[in-house]
Amino acid sequence: MKTVSAALFFALIGTAAAAESCPDELPGKVELDFGLAFHYGILETDQALCGKLVSDTEVWVGFAAQPEGKEQMIDAHAVIALPEANTVQQYTLTAKSPSGIVPSDSQTLTDTTVTQDGTTVATFKQPLSDNGLTLTSNNVYLMAKGTSNNLGFHAGRGFVSLDFETNVISSSTGSTEAPMTTGSTEAPMTTGATESSTTAATVAPPTPTPPPSSASLQKIGSVLLGGSLLLIAALTI
């Protein structure tokens, strides 16, 4: 059991390490005429929506999604940024009043920020399959902003369409870089001609001189004996 738990632990660590953050610049943008824009893009590697709400005033801001053809606020799956609480969270809209804005049981957003400097900027990353709703280009989307930082009745709201197919964020690690080549294959270096191996000249061994025969030895012995007798005779004269 301990082995299974350890394996699960390291698998979760690996999954978390592989997740990508949303970039600062997002490819898609929709804008409403009351000073609220939504920048967005689809992070394919994580199957997530990267979103950034930008208001020209310091107020709470919100973004919501409905299934296809359902152009209304009630039952929408919303993301609301509250600057004073420094939170960007998910809500279900059950009524057209603050009491009907209910925090979702499952909070799946990551990369959340909300900042103000004369304007309001809120960012988030949301899974495309989230809390029972799948986000696609066919959904109905809603944007709204308040009259102040306190969550209440909105100063403006409107419905927009998003294009998920065109506004895809390229992964910073998903591209495969081909191995570097020189453009031509260098053949192994050769000398151009095949050098033949040198064959050493074969020198015949000297022919040994055969030993003298018995007859030759006897002949030599007779000559030597005769010479000795002549020498003795000369000395005695």
Side-chain angles (χ1 to χ4, degrees):
M1 186 66 182
K2 289 182 180 179
T3 303
V4 174
S5 299
L8 179 60
F9 173 75
F10 286 111
L12 291 174
I13 290 179
T15 302
E20 279 199 69
S21 296
C22 293
D24 293 333
E25 298 297 325
L26 299 173
K29 180 183 178 182
V30 289
E31 193 166 8
L32 297 175
D33 58 7
F34 51 82
L36 182 63
F38 182 62
H39 303 256
Y40 70 99
I42 304 304
L43 195 59
E44 280 193 323
T45 52
D46 291 2
Q47 286 295 288
L49 168 67
C50 293
K52 177 166 67 175
L53 287 159
V54 181
S55 169
D56 60 359
T57 54
E58 294 189 352
V59 293
W60 65 263
V61 292
F63 167 84
Q66 285 277 34
E68 182 179 0
K70 195 173 183 180
E71 199 167 289
Q72 64 181 43
M73 174 182 167
I74 304 300
D75 295 332
H77 297 246
V79 174
I80 299 175
L82 301 176
E84 290 191 356
N86 194 31
T87 60
V88 181
Q89 294 183 327
Q90 291 164 289
Y91 298 83
T92 301
L93 308 181
T94 61
K96 295 181 179 180
S97 63
S99 61
I101 303 174
V102 182
S104 301
D105 293 333
S106 176
Q107 295 290 329
T108 61
L109 301 181
T110 57
D111 291 9
T112 59
T113 63
V114 55
T115 58
Q116 290 185 322
D117 185 12
T119 63
T120 303
V121 179
T123 65
F124 62 90
K125 176 181 169 183
Q126 181 178 14
L128 294 182
S129 295
D130 189 35
N131 287 327
L133 179 65
T134 300
L135 305 179
T136 70
S137 296
N138 298 324
N139 292 67
V140 175
Y141 295 98
L142 171 67
M143 295 163 53
K145 74 175 191 177
T147 57
S148 69
N149 284 333
N150 298 317
L151 186 59
F153 192 75
H154 47 72
R157 72 174 178 90
F159 295 96
V160 294
S161 298
L162 304 183
D163 183 355
F164 284 20
E165 286 70 34
T166 302
N167 296 296
V168 175
I169 301 168
S170 299
S171 171
S172 59
T173 59
S175 60
T176 303
E177 185 176 350
M180 184 177 67
T181 62
T182 59
S184 62
T185 303
E186 184 177 353
M189 185 178 67
T190 62
T191 59
T194 304
E195 183 178 353
S196 59
S197 58
T198 302
T199 304
T202 304
V203 180
T207 304
T209 303
S213 62
S214 300
S216 298
L217 291 175
Q218 290 176 358
K219 191 174 184 178
I220 292 171
S222 299
V223 172
L224 291 176
L225 179 58
S228 299
L229 292 173
L230 289 174
L231 180 58
I232 294 170
L235 289 175
T236 58
I237 293 174

